[in-house]
Amino acid sequence: MAENRGILIVVSGPAGSGKGTVLNAVFEKSKDFVYSVSATTRAPRPGEEDGVHYHFITKERFEELIADDTVVEHTCYCGNYYGTLRTVIEKDLCNGKNVILEIEVDGAMQIKKKFPEALLILVVPPSYDILEARLRGRGTNTEDDIKNRLERSREELKFFDEYDYLLINDDIDEVSSNFISIIESEKHSTKRNKNFYNKFFNI
Ligand code: 5GP
């Protein structure tokens, strides 16, 4: 049997990659995952709930959290702070849950450094043209915001080979199943079962 500690999973992808929709499908298919709710200083979009999609907080509060080391990684993305809360990660990993951080590249690189065992997955749309069309189709972002996010995606994709897996999002059902298969395989990797020998021989 594979070891019981959950896997820390970082999921990144340009705005418009559909990573949120892929993750919703993953949560519907499996109960082995928990979503780490980040803190942000950006305003909620219509339909977003405090404590569910994000903890929506002020810039001053965010800066306090940075100062007292409550955030394990953070970044400033298109003018707003985003960060992962330390408490969320540790409790669920110990309980054997796989914890998903849906974060951008800068935060992903901080996590990779602090938690070398984290698994990094990049979700991308099939092409840049499709990415742009999806961002415009959302209708919730201003033109400036769209331009910023497209520019940012160019920069982010330069970090492509820092990630362990690449998922091209052209079919949600297929991509979410592949996501779950990747995690299942990882659980059985030798590097994630280093205690096997000692346990086997009761050492
Ligand atoms: P959005 O404003 O579209 O919800 O998110 C903008 C970007 O911030 C997305 O790429 C999202 O994955 C990323 N993001 C969300 N939460 C965090 C976080 O806690 N840390 C970091 N580094 N990025 C985050």
Side-chain angles (χ1 to χ4, degrees), residues 19-179:
K19 57 188 185 302
T21 316
V22 170
L23 292 180
N24 286 340
V26 168
F27 293 124
E28 269 185 24
K29 288 180 182 180
S30 168
K31 300 282 165 249
D32 294 341
F33 298 91
V34 290
Y35 186 80
S36 156
V37 180
S38 296
T40 185
T41 59
R42 98 152 151 67
R45 294 193 188 115
E48 283 184 335
E49 269 179 65
D50 188 36
V52 176
H53 298 91
Y54 283 105
H55 300 285
F56 294 101
I57 61 176
T58 61
K59 188 164 173 272
E60 291 68 33
R61 178 75 189 120
F62 200 103
E63 284 167 353
E64 278 169 22
L65 295 182
I66 298 172
D68 68 17
D69 204 27
T70 303
V71 286
V72 274
E73 63 73 33
H74 72 276
T75 197
C76 192
Y77 179 99
C78 299
N80 288 301
Y81 279 130
Y82 294 79
T84 302
L85 303 173
R86 183 181 297 284
T87 40
V88 182
I89 298 189
E90 266 312 311
K91 185 175 111 261
D92 289 312
L93 284 179
C94 290
N95 290 337
K97 293 278 186 190
N98 303 308
V99 177
I100 298 183
L101 311 184
E102 185 190 342
I103 64 179
E104 51 66 64
V105 169
D106 180 26
M109 294 306 109
Q110 295 172 46
I111 293 288
K112 187 171 168 157
K113 221 171 173 182
K114 280 194 186 159
F115 305 89
E117 75 285 5
L119 183 75
L120 275 68
I121 298 181
L122 186 63
V123 179
V124 295
S127 71
Y128 183 78
D129 288 350
I130 293 176
L131 174 68
E132 185 167 358
R134 281 187 190 168
L135 269 184
R136 292 190 184 285
R138 265 185 186 174
T140 51
N141 296 316
T142 62
E143 184 60 28
D144 268 1
D145 203 28
I146 291 170
K147 281 198 179 122
N148 266 338
R149 283 167 188 254
L150 284 172
E151 188 48 44
R152 177 92 182 200
S153 72
R154 271 187 197 280
E155 290 306 308
E156 288 193 337
L157 291 182
K158 290 183 182 157
F159 287 80
F160 157 83
D161 59 5
E162 296 283 347
Y163 284 76
D164 300 299
Y165 290 93
L166 175 71
L167 288 174
I168 297 172
N169 184 14
D170 46 10
D171 179 305
I172 298 289
D173 187 47
E174 193 182 317
V175 176
S176 54
S177 294
N178 288 340
F179 185 101

